[in-house]
Amino acid sequence: MWTIWVIILWISAVLIRAVPPVCDLLSVLKREEENCAEILSLEAKNRTTESYLLLSSGRCAGMWDNMSCWPSSAVGQTVNAQCPEFFQMLTGKKGFVYRNCTSEGWSDPYPRPDIACGYNVNDTTNEARRSYFMTLKTMYTIGYCTSLVTLMIALAVLISFRRLRCTRNYIHMHLFTSFILRASSNFIKDAVLFSSEDINYCGAYTAGCKLTMVFFQYCIMSNYSWLLVEGLYLHTLLVISFFSERKFLWWFIALGWGAPTVFVAAWATARQLHENIGCWDINANANTWWIIRGPVVLSIFINFILFVNILRILMRKLSSPEGRSSDLNQYKRLAKSTLLLIPLFGVHYIIFAFFPEDASSGTMEIQLFFELALGSFQGFVVAVLYCFLNGSAGSSEKMEAVAFKQTLASASQHLSK
């Protein structure tokens, strides 16, 4: 009975994070059951003839109750067991469940495992939380769809017009590509993880799930890397008067696509060796997770420092005699520059970059809203600001259109002669 409850709780609690969720559940339960079997087997080997007589007369036999391991105990004793690992992964709470050894055998566990481990099925907030997560999933799906379409059009525009081929736009193209990969990987991840609830396919989906999560993490990291590249490039333009842009471009490409490869490969190796559980979509081991999270947080912090320093340089130039105008225009230009740089640098990520990832705290919902719902539209905003509203892109399109019309006109005149 409790096994059915556990499976239902797991599905409802990770509805947007791990599917087939039962696969992760069964993987953890199977491992804990194997550990329990080893403990009970070792206990049986070390048991003497005297202990056999005690067991038959006044002891409760050790057992696995499909959730926790209970070693053999004498009548009258109370035995405790830690919350099962999957509950700890869900709630982050380390509680205990108890059983009494009576003359009639083991009593029922108390308190109820879901309550003792921080998940109350009678709490209506869990239903509200599920509803919030599903709304969030809908929002980020719409956001990524919008961004994906807009970014592909913007990338096609930058590639099509030769007058737009410069180092600045090359970096923009790489950034657009990273946003496209991020959106695509998110759809692929959802398609794989939500593909089936049938536990019979758990083994078949394991390799695919892991490869999908590796690809997903690489796309996320490469997107952050190219946001950092944008910050480094703009800062370099403002600080260094003359530098080889082409030479710097190759270093930027190595940073944008190469650095994530190293860290994701290290993370995948660590997961395979030390935390090979489920589809690798839940990060229970903080040490393994920081292999990826550490560089991402560092890139966000560096970009924030660059952002502040660039604003300082812009303020200094606007307040100089050459750039001084009316105070109102000066503040308008500074505000416009600030708003343009926030999506390009991903400055909004700094708000929650150093917050602990505690699923039981209320900040997690707010953090997910910022990073998923609002973050999914970041690619759309960047494409609009740095392609469609870019003066050079617009003028190049007009010039190409005029040149095309002139070519047609000359060709028609040639044919009419």
Side-chain angles (χ1 to χ4, degrees):
M1 179 63 184
W2 274 110
T3 307
I4 298 174
W5 268 109
V6 171
I7 293 175
I8 294 173
L9 290 175
W10 182 273
I11 295 173
S12 62
V14 289
L15 195 58
I16 66 165
R17 295 192 61 192
V19 182
V22 182
C23 295
D24 287 331
L25 168 68
L26 294 181
S27 175
V28 173
L29 285 178
K30 184 177 180 181
R31 188 183 65 188
E32 291 195 334
E33 183 180 7
E34 290 173 352
N35 292 338
C36 182
E38 291 181 6
I39 293 172
L40 297 181
S41 176
L42 185 62
E43 185 182 89
K45 288 180 180 179
N46 296 332
R47 191 174 295 149
T48 61
T49 306
E50 182 181 352
S51 61
Y52 267 114
L53 294 174
L54 287 172
L55 178 62
S56 59
S57 60
R59 293 180 71 86
C60 297
M63 68 171 185
W64 165 256
D65 67 353
N66 295 324
M67 287 182 62
S68 302
C69 190
W70 303 93
S72 60
S73 178
V75 171
Q77 286 189 342
T78 299
V79 181
N80 64 67
Q82 274 196 340
C83 284
E85 184 179 343
F86 61 86
F87 265 129
Q88 295 182 34
M89 292 165 63
L90 279 175
T91 64
K93 180 180 177 181
K94 294 183 179 181
F96 288 90
V97 182
Y98 302 86
R99 281 182 186 267
N100 294 323
C101 178
T102 68
S103 58
E104 297 180 357
W106 289 106
S107 67
D108 291 334
Y110 66 92
R112 234 170 52 190
D114 58 311
I115 297 175
C117 303
Y119 194 103
N120 188 355
V121 292
N122 297 320
D123 190 352
T124 56
T125 57
N126 292 323
E127 194 67 35
R129 213 174 175 201
R130 284 197 296 272
S131 177
Y132 172 78
F133 285 146
M134 292 307 299
T135 303
L136 191 67
K137 182 177 183 294
T138 303
M139 289 180 66
Y140 78 67
T141 300
I142 294 172
Y144 279 127
C145 282
T146 306
S147 295
L148 187 61
V149 173
T150 312
L151 287 162
M152 292 180 72
I153 297 172
L155 187 61
V157 169
L158 292 180
I159 293 174
S160 300
F161 299 103
R162 288 174 293 177
R163 294 179 61 87
L164 296 177
R165 294 175 187 174
C166 61
T167 302
R168 174 172 58 87
N169 284 336
Y170 282 144
I171 293 176
H172 286 345
M173 284 189 277
H174 282 283
L175 178 65
F176 291 175
T177 304
S178 72
F179 272 116
I180 290 171
L181 288 174
R182 181 170 183 168
S184 302
S185 67
N186 191 80
F187 293 137
I188 295 171
K189 180 201 69 172
D190 283 355
V192 172
L193 297 182
F194 284 89
S195 58
S196 175
E197 294 285 348
D198 189 350
I199 61 175
N200 294 324
Y201 293 95
C202 291
Y205 277 113
T206 299
C209 280
K210 292 175 183 177
L211 289 175
T212 299
M213 291 309 300
V214 170
F215 176 67
F216 174 74
Q217 297 294 355
Y218 173 78
C219 293
I220 296 293
M221 280 205 74
S222 63
N223 184 231
Y224 281 108
S225 295
W226 279 104
L227 289 172
L228 176 61
V229 167
E230 288 278 2
L232 290 171
Y233 176 71
L234 183 54
H235 190 268
T236 304
L237 283 178
L238 293 174
V239 174
I240 303 177
S241 301
F242 301 100
F243 68 96
S244 174
E245 292 194 10
R246 184 168 294 276
K247 183 179 179 181
F248 268 75
L249 178 61
W250 288 109
W251 283 108
F252 287 149
I253 291 173
L255 173 62
W257 300 117
T261 305
V262 175
F263 290 108
V264 172
W267 172 78
T269 303
R271 286 299 304 247
Q272 181 66 30
L273 296 177
H274 305 294
E275 198 184 356
N276 190 19
I277 301 173
C279 287
W280 294 2
D281 57 314
I282 296 178
N283 300 288
N285 189 329
N287 295 330
T288 304
W289 176 229
W290 272 92
I291 296 175
I292 285 181
R293 180 169 168 77
V296 168
V297 171
L298 180 62
S299 69
I300 292 171
F301 180 70
I302 293 174
N303 246 11
F304 181 73
I305 297 299
L306 296 175
F307 172 75
V308 172
N309 196 44
I310 288 172
L311 289 186
R312 183 184 62 82
I313 295 172
L314 291 176
M315 288 178 66
R316 189 175 61 193
K317 290 189 175 184
L318 288 173
S319 61
S320 65
E322 296 81 4
R324 187 176 296 157
S325 57
S326 66
D327 290 340
L328 182 60
N329 288 333
Q330 179 178 336
Y331 287 120
K332 282 184 177 179
R333 291 169 66 186
L334 182 60
K336 181 180 178 182
S337 301
T338 304
L339 292 174
L340 286 173
L341 291 177
I342 287 176
L344 185 66
F345 281 32
V347 176
H348 55 285
Y349 291 119
I350 196 68
I351 300 173
F352 293 100
F354 300 98
F355 272 62
E357 292 192 333
D358 186 2
S360 61
S361 68
T363 58
M364 178 59 74
E365 283 82 357
I366 303 173
Q367 181 178 355
L368 289 175
F369 177 78
F370 267 87
E371 294 188 357
L372 293 179
L374 296 183
S376 63
F377 286 95
Q378 185 184 0
F380 166 75
V381 174
V382 169
V384 170
L385 292 178
Y386 293 92
C387 181
F388 302 118
L389 297 183
N390 190 327
S392 60
S395 61
S396 293
E397 290 174 19
K398 292 177 182 177
M399 292 179 66
E400 291 283 350
V402 170
F404 181 68
K405 289 180 181 178
Q406 290 176 348
T407 303
L408 287 178
S410 63
S412 62
Q413 289 177 2
H414 179 75
L415 291 173
S416 62
K417 290 181 180 180

